[in-house]
């Protein structure tokens, strides 16, 4: 990039000089015929472009360019090269030379292309916008992006869809989709039917706004049904949507319209991988090599498909092949790094990413991944059986105390249920900063809704400190992601998303009845509004961000139903069927002996039986509840005792009127209708608050505990219950609340101390020791006391020497501490 | 006092432990701290009813703790409040001045005076003001008012924008605690609540000597403030800081305290010495004191010893000390 900066700096000076030199060295602007052909092609009007090119003056060198543009549009690159070469020899700084350079670059004649384009990028005489445009395109061709950007900026005031589209294309290549979107939109303001801008904008929005991306491409297709680039973009979109048949059809259309291109060969390699795995890709890649033996495109495209299927070992192997062909392909190097991170080989990933960074320093993805590798390098590595955990150093002591036993349990449960054991270590990385988790997972910060991710044998997740206490259960997240490890392995990584997510949420619920059922009320409301998905629409629901949460929930219900009907064995068969490449119909048939329709029908029956009553309770009141007098609300509540919203409205109105005793009845009814209602505005929380106000501690405890049976991350309620229980010496409630607090917020040292002491009282010394260890790791309020607690647990476990060492540490802080002194004597046998 | 921990704290610890024992022992004020203990609590202008209630509750709790737990004479606790009750004065600059002038005149160098400011503070750079009814008092004015006081002085400014008071009021032998540690921290603080709780929380007693020093109260209060924000998942808008070296730079609760930290010796309760009319018990008490002194001495020499040698000697001494202490407790029925 150093060269680019130098040239970039020089450009403004050159622009000044150009004013003087124009008279001496005026370059002719692109001929009208070239411009007209480009415009016609950009609208998909091949016939028109052909007519314009053929009518032009054969003696004019621009005519050769116009004809070549038509040739290239139709895939006749050889003919185009012949036409362009003659014209380029006559004028090596002209339009023909530029098009020839770009053609050579595209078709593997990299050295020739570089020489030609580099010379064009050195031109500093400008008579018209076309000269800047030529410079910009040449500079992009030789990767001098700063220079190109300077030139594009000179064109910014020219209202040209073509200029803006080319500029946007460069932004997209430089990983700046936001800037690209701005330029594409400006291009479309100048010409709403400029097909390359429609295609480009569709690509730029593919991740951020898939529906808009699809719509744009359909618009391009309607505008130019025979534009090959539209069909190529469709291939990309359809493969991203896992629709291989449609992608193949689009590829065939593309090949008809523009035969024999390297793009076609590359995408056929990707499709071949989808169809036949590595062997298929290997065979298809030969067609790429026949066009350009140094092209990485085929293997790269196939690798991306492998990664999309979570087959990261395959993806890495394909990326390595791509790099072997073109070591200077920054995307291939980046892909290799990314895939290796997802296989857990972080050392090799770093090497690849370093190379990618050397080749292209514009990629925020590359930089972010390298940065997060630096973060992970500072983590504490905890090998544990089949797992390798990586925790932030300051969190390791606490998290390992909880995460390791939970992971052991998960491995045991899932290995048995799914009949599979991963053949390599499972890497679990836990990030105290959410953005580090997001970058480790997707290469960019954000990913706000995600708590964890699984790549097969790599799990990444937020630590409890990554979010405010009470926002999520990190243990449920770990359990969920570890379930993915097994369902992915059991299906050879071919399990559809609805099933693997459904299984993971279902597993959460099996582990803890409160886990995985957080959206029960929302589901009942959707059920009431007839907006649930059903078996057939679940896969689509997983593709829409707005429906993702409920899709997880409904998928877990479907899994619950499938297990109830067919047992774990049925699910195992289903996973194996998907692993063998079956589609839904075949997989359902093999696993359950039923068609998708039959499963759909039985699932609807299951949902009706399970949630019919709740659905009715959660129905939106009709007519809507309007503000009225208490008497009116009472009348309404009496008339509709089974409606949750009606009862809650009355309860809240009575609270507002400070009729706390009166509020109880409707709140009780609401709680009975929807016991899983959670949060501070839930009936149970309101009832508990009323009880506290009325100093009815026993009742308040009952209400808080009832709430926490469902609202399992409500740390505020748990702390209240713990305090009330301690006040009442209600040990059962206190134990429950403390355990929940420790689960949700393991960095609360005081809770570990209390929990440890409770466990000591019940003579569960080993568990108590875990809690005291955690307390000391977090930093207890009183270290001498905590060390003495730990020493007591050690002594109870007959670890006398350890106990003595620990109590000595307590006495170093507090030599006159009587409890520690007595314990010391006990450890000494005195 | 040398070394990380205070020798005097160790020396005092056992006497306090014994002070609670029944039977043959009696607890008497220690000669070393025979001066009186006084407090001035100023509750400034609250601005809003919710703060008025909250600030008054903190004031009442603090006053009750000083009187009931730490044994301050009721007359030794001067209260200047926004809405004064019997025996209190209104929180104006004039009344604050009058209260300090009165205390200055009546207190001797052997006395100790605790000043606690509750309410709102504002600051613009170094110019900080504790909000009173009517005109406020600036840092410079507070400094001038406090300068003539002979008693050992501790000032705890629990308010927002209190940071400039740290440097402004710092002086050799004086303890100054502010709820905030930067000019930017201007939000209402939870430190006063934490500080009041720290005075009664047994967890605050880090060395388990039965007493809570100002340093321990500050450390524990800082922890409670940190937990307050952590448990809510919000960014902390206050970090308390203490100065007891007189340089006005201050240090956080997580920093190691310097040797001989005056805040570590600044106790709110009166020191007591246990003696016994039982000669055998008195012998044990004397032996316990000697062993405690040896422990202190050993700790001071730690840096010059191998870890193994220190551990061996420390364990032997602690074993003896523990035995003697156990015997004292047994004989005294505790």
């Amino acid at each position: 990039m150093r060269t680019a900066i130098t040239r970039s700096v020089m450009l403004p000076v050159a622009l000044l000089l150009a004013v003087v030199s124009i008279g001496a060295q005026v370059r002719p602007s692109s001929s009208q015929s070239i411009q007209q052909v480009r415009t016609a092609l950009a609208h998909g009007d091949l016939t028109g472009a052909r007519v314009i090119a053929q009518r032009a003056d054969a003696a004019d060198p621009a005519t050769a360019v116009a004809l070549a543009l038509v040739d290239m549009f139709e895939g006749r690159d050889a003919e185009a090269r012949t036409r362009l070469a003659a014209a380029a020899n006559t004028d090596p700084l002209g339009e023909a030379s530029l098009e020839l350079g770009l053609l050579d670059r595209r078709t593997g004649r990299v050295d020739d292309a570089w020489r030609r384009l580099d010379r064009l990028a050195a031109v500093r005489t400008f008579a018209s916008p076309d000269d800047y445009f030529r410079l910009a395109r040449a500079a992009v061709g030789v990767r001098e992006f700063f220079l190109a950007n300077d030139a594009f900026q000179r064109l910014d005031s020219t209202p040209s869809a073509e200029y803006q589209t080319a500029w946007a294309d460069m932004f997209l290549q430089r990983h700046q989709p936001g800037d690209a979107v701005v330029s594409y939109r400006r291009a479309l303001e100048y010409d709403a039917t400029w097909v390359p801008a429609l295609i480009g904008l569709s690509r730029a929005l593919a991740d951020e706004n898939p529906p808009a991306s699809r719509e744009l491409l359909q618009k391009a297709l309607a505008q130019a049904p025979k534009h090959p680039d539209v069909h190529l973009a469709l291939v990309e979109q359809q493969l991203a949507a896992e629709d291989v048949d449609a992608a193949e059809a689009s590829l065939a259309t593309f090949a008809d319209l523009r035969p024999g291109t390297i793009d076609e060969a590359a995408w056929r390699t990707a499709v071949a991988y989808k169809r036949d795995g590595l062997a298929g890709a290997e065979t298809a890649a030969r067609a790429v090599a026949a066009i350009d033996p140094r092209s990485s495109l085929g293997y790269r495209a196939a690798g991306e498909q492998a990664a999309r299927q979570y087959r990261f070992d395959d993806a890495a192997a394909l990326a390595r092949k791509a790099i072997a062909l073109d070591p200077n392909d920054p995307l291939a190097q980046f892909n290799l790094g990314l895939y290796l991170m997802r296989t857990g080989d972080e050392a090799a990933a770093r090497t690849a990413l370093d190379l990618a960074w050397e080749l292209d320093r514009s990629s925020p993805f590359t930089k972010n991944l390298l940065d997060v590798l630096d973060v992970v390098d500072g983590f504490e590595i905890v090998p544990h059986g089949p797992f390798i955990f990586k925790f932030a150093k300051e969190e390791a002591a606490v998290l390992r105390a909880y995460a390791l036993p939970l992971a052991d349990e998960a491995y045991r449960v899932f290995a048995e249920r799914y009949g599979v054991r991963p053949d390599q270590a499972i890497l679990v990385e836990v990030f105290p900063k959410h953005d580090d988790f997001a970058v480790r997972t997707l290469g960019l910060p954000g990913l706000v809704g995600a708590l964890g991710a699984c790549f097969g044998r790599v799990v990444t997740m937020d630590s409890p400190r990554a979010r405010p206490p009470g926002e999520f259960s990190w243990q449920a997240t770990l359990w969920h992601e570890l379930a993915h490890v097994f369902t992915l392995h059991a299906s050879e990584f071919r399990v559809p998303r609805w099933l693997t997510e459904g299984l993971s949420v279902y597993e959460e619920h099996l582990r803890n009845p409160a886990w995985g059922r957080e959206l029960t009320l929302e589901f009942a409301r959707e059920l009431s509004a007839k907006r649930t998905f059903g078996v057939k629409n679940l896969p689509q629901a997983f593709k829409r961000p707005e429906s993702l949460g409920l899709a997880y929930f409904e998928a877990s219900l479907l899994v619950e139903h499938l297990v109830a009907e067919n047992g774990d064995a049925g699910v195992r068969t289903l996973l194996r069927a998907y692993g063998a490449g079956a589609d839904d119909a075949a997989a359902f048939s093999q696993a359950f002996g039923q068609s998708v329709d039959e499963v759909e029908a039985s699932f609807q029956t299951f949902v009706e039986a399970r949630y019919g009553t709740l659905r009715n309770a959660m129905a939106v009141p009709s007519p809507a509840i309007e503000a009225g007098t208490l008497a009116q609300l009472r009348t309404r509540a009496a008339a509709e005792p089974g409606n949750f919203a009606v009862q809650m409205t009355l309860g809240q109105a009575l609270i507002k009127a400070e009729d706390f005793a009166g509020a109880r009845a409707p709140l009780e009814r609401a709680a009975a209708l929807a016991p899983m209602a959670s949060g501070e505005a839930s009936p149970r929380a309101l009832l508990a608050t009323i009880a506290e106000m009325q100093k009815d501690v026993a009742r308040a405890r009952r209400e808080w505990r009832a709430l926490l049976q469902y609202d399992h991350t409500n740390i505020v309620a748990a702390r209240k219950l713990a305090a009330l229980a301690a006040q009442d010496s209600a040990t059962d409630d206190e134990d429950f609340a403390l355990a929940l607090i420790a689960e949700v917020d393991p960095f609360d040292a005081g809770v570990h101390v209390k929990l440890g002491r409770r466990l000591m009282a019940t003579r569960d010394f080993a568990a108590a020791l875990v809690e005291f260890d955690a307390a000391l790791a977090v930093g207890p309020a009183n270290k001498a006391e905590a060390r003495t607690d730990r020493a007591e647990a050690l002594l109870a476990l007959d670890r006398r020497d350890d106990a003595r060492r620990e109590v000595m540490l307590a006495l170093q802080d507090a030599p006159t501490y009587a409890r520690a002194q007595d314990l010391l004597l006990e450890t000494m046998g005195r | 006092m040398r070394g990380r921990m205070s020798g005097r704290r160790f020396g005092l610890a056992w006497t306090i432990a014994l002070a609670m024992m029944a039977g043959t022992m009696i607890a008497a004020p220690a000669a070393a701290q025979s001066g009186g203990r006084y407090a001035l609590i100023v509750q400034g202008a609250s601005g809003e009813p919710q703060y008025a209630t909250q600030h008054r509750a903190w004031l009442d709790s603090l006053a009750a703790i000083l009187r009931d737990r730490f044994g301050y004479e009721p007359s030794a606790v001067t209260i200047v409040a926004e809405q004064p009750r019997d025996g209190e004065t209104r929180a104006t600059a004039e009344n604050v001045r009058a209260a300090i002038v009165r205390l200055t005149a009546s207190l001797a160098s052997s006395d100790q005076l605790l000043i606690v400011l509750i309410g709102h503070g504002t600051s613009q750079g170094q110019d900080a003001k504790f909000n009173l009814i009517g005109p406020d008092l600036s840092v410079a004015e507070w400094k001038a008012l406090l300068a003539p006081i002979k008693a050992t002085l501790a000032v705890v400014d629990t308010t927002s924008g209190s940071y400039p008071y740290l440097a402004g009021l710092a002086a050799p032998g004086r303890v100054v605690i502010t709820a905030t540690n930067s000019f930017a921290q201007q939000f209402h603080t939870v430190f006063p609540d934490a500080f009041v709780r720290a005075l009664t929380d047994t967890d605050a007693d880090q060395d388990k000597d039965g007493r809570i020093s100002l340093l321990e109260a500050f450390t524990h209060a800082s922890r409670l403030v940190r937990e307050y924000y952590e448990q809510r998942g919000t960014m902390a808008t206050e970090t308390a800081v203490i100065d007891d070296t007189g340089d006005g730079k201050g240090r956080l609760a997580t920093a190691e305290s310097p040797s001989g930290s005056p805040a570590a010796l600044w106790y709110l309760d009166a020191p007591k010495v246990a003696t016994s009319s039982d000669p055998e018990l008195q012998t044990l008490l004397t032996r316990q004191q000697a062993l405690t002194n040896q422990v202190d001495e050993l700790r001071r020499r730690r840096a010059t010893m191998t870890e193994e040698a220190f551990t061996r000697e420390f364990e032997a001494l602690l074993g003896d000390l523990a035995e003697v202490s156990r015997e004292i407790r047994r004989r005294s029925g505790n």
Side-chain angles (χ1 to χ4, degrees), chain A residues 38 129-138 152 155 162-163 166:
Chain A
R38 279 184 179 148
D130 284 348
D131 293 330
Y132 287 113
F133 190 45
R134 195 180 308 111
L135 170 64
R137 294 179 71 203
F152 277 124
L155 297 169
E162 184 177 28
Y163 296 165

Side-chain angles (χ1 to χ4, degrees), chain A residues 699-716:
Chain A
R699 184 178 184 124
R701 281 195 289 108
R702 276 201 308 278
E703 298 296 352
W704 286 127
R705 182 147 182 182
L707 175 71
L708 289 166
Q709 296 296 338
Y710 296 94
D711 199 358
H712 65 97
T713 60
N714 191 335
I715 194 104
V716 174

Side-chain angles (χ1 to χ4, degrees), chain A residues 649-662:
Chain A
T649 304
L650 175 59
Q652 286 164 333
L654 288 165
I655 288 175
K656 196 173 174 186
E658 300 191 5
D659 180 1
F660 301 114

Side-chain angles (χ1 to χ4, degrees), chain A residues 561-624:
Chain A
H561 170 60
L562 295 175
V563 173
E565 293 291 309
N566 307 282
D568 289 342
V571 172
R572 277 197 296 273
T573 306
L574 184 68
L575 288 168
R576 279 199 296 271
Y578 280 119
D583 60 13
D584 288 347
F588 278 32
S589 173
Q590 283 179 45
F592 315 129
Q594 287 182 308
S595 67
V596 175
D597 284 337
E598 286 169 328
V599 172
E600 180 83 82
S602 68
F603 179 54
Q604 297 309 328
T605 305
F606 164 82
V607 167
E608 178 61 30
R610 172 72 65 84
Y611 292 104
T613 306
L614 187 62
R615 175 200 58 206
N616 296 337
M618 298 311 295
V620 176
S622 178

Side-chain angles (χ1 to χ4, degrees), chain A residues 465 467-469 715 719 745 747-750 757 778-785 804 808 811-822 824-826 828 830, chain B residues 4-5 10 13-14 202-209 220 223 227 230-233 292 295 299 302 307 310-311 314-316 318-323 325-326 329:
Chain A
R465 272 200 173 134
R467 290 165 184 266
I715 194 104
R719 289 191 205 285
D745 183 10
F747 296 101
D748 182 334
R757 288 175 185 167
V778 177
N782 193 298
K783 199 177 273 186
E785 280 187 13
R804 188 166 65 249
M808 286 298 294
L811 287 164
Q812 284 186 26
D813 285 340
T816 59
Y817 184 18
R819 185 162 75 99
Q821 287 181 342
D822 287 349
L824 175 65
L825 293 174
E826 203 175 337
M828 290 172 155
R830 288 163 71 174
Chain B
R4 198 171 73 82
M5 300 294 289
F10 291 124
W14 66 273
T202 53
D203 277 344
D205 182 12
Q206 289 294 323
D207 59 6
K208 306 301 294 176
D209 64 354
H220 195 64
R223 178 190 181 85
E227 287 178 351
E230 279 181 359
Q231 290 180 3
R232 282 157 183 76
T292 303
V295 168
R299 291 170 58 87
R302 183 173 188 169
E307 190 60 27
F310 171 80
T311 303
F314 190 72
E315 191 167 329
L318 259 294
D320 291 346
L321 178 60
E323 268 192 336
S325 300
R326 183 174 64 187
R329 289 199 300 276

